[in-house]
Amino acid sequence: MNDVRLEIGTTLRAPARRMTRERMRWYVDLLPTVEADDGRVHQAEPTIHDDDEFARSQGLPGIIADGMLSTNWILSLLLDAFGEDALCPGALSTRYIAPVFEDVMVTTAATVTSVGEEADGTLRYGLDVWCEEAGGRKLTVGKASVRATGSPAARAVAPRFTLGA
């Protein structure tokens, strides 16, 4: 029923983003801020994600991004490609295989590994997903499954990601 279909081997790539100290700090402070629910930003206790001295005391050269930032960037790519279909019913699982350091440029990508048609004619895409640094070394890897009721390839004309084989 979809008028455009992504083929196995098609890769979606988002533009590279810099992992900044500010991004890392926002993520660390999110939980205590939400928990307080008083309209103010609350800072968390020092962690490897926001405090260089603490990170060095744990054997790291400096702060590293929380792995959920990478997962969120992967979900963002899937949302750009599939719209709200990326949210449900589907799946996204990730594994953090290398630390993401401050100021590293991170590219998010997904490759179609399977395409199946469901009883109602919608397509189900299986995808390998990952984040990589500029040299191509993978930092986060995972799998996703998206039930596409729309036309994901039609979104490829948007400048937020590129479509390739």
Side-chain angles (χ1 to χ4, degrees):
M1 302 242 174
N2 292 327
D3 40 64
V4 180
R5 178 180 172 137
L6 297 177
E7 299 298 326
I8 292 174
T10 300
T11 299
L12 310 171
R13 297 182 72 76
R17 300 185 204 188
R18 184 174 306 280
M19 184 58 73
T20 64
R21 180 172 291 264
E22 183 179 42
R23 287 181 199 272
M24 290 188 249
R25 178 88 237 177
W26 290 338
Y27 204 85
V28 169
D29 293 338
L30 179 65
L31 184 59
T33 299
V34 169
E35 286 175 340
D37 193 23
D38 62 6
R40 297 179 322 177
V41 174
H42 292 265
Q43 288 192 338
E45 294 294 318
T47 70
I48 60 174
H49 306 302
D50 67 339
D51 185 283
D52 285 308
E53 187 175 314
F54 185 81
R56 283 191 287 277
S57 78
Q58 302 301 306
L60 296 165
I63 62 172
I64 62 172
D66 186 298
M68 284 304 295
L69 278 164
S70 298
T71 298
N72 290 338
W73 286 2
I74 290 169
L75 179 57
S76 178
L77 173 66
L78 296 176
L79 284 165
D80 286 345
F82 297 98
E84 290 183 14
D85 287 346
L87 300 175
C88 186
L92 173 61
S93 63
T94 56
R95 199 178 64 182
Y96 314 113
I97 60 173
V100 180
F101 292 101
E102 179 181 12
D103 290 328
V104 167
M105 295 300 290
V106 177
T107 300
T108 305
T111 296
V112 177
T113 57
S114 66
V115 181
E117 191 166 327
E118 298 193 348
D120 65 359
T122 60
L123 298 177
R124 166 117 7 226
Y125 291 98
L127 303 119
D128 283 340
V129 296
W130 70 93
C131 290
E132 64 186 26
E133 61 186 10
R137 182 174 73 117
K138 291 185 178 176
L139 306 165
T140 302
V141 296
K143 302 262 183 215
S145 172
V146 177
R147 183 176 183 264
T149 60
S151 178
R155 291 185 179 88
V157 296
R160 295 193 50 127
F161 69 89
T162 58
L163 181 66

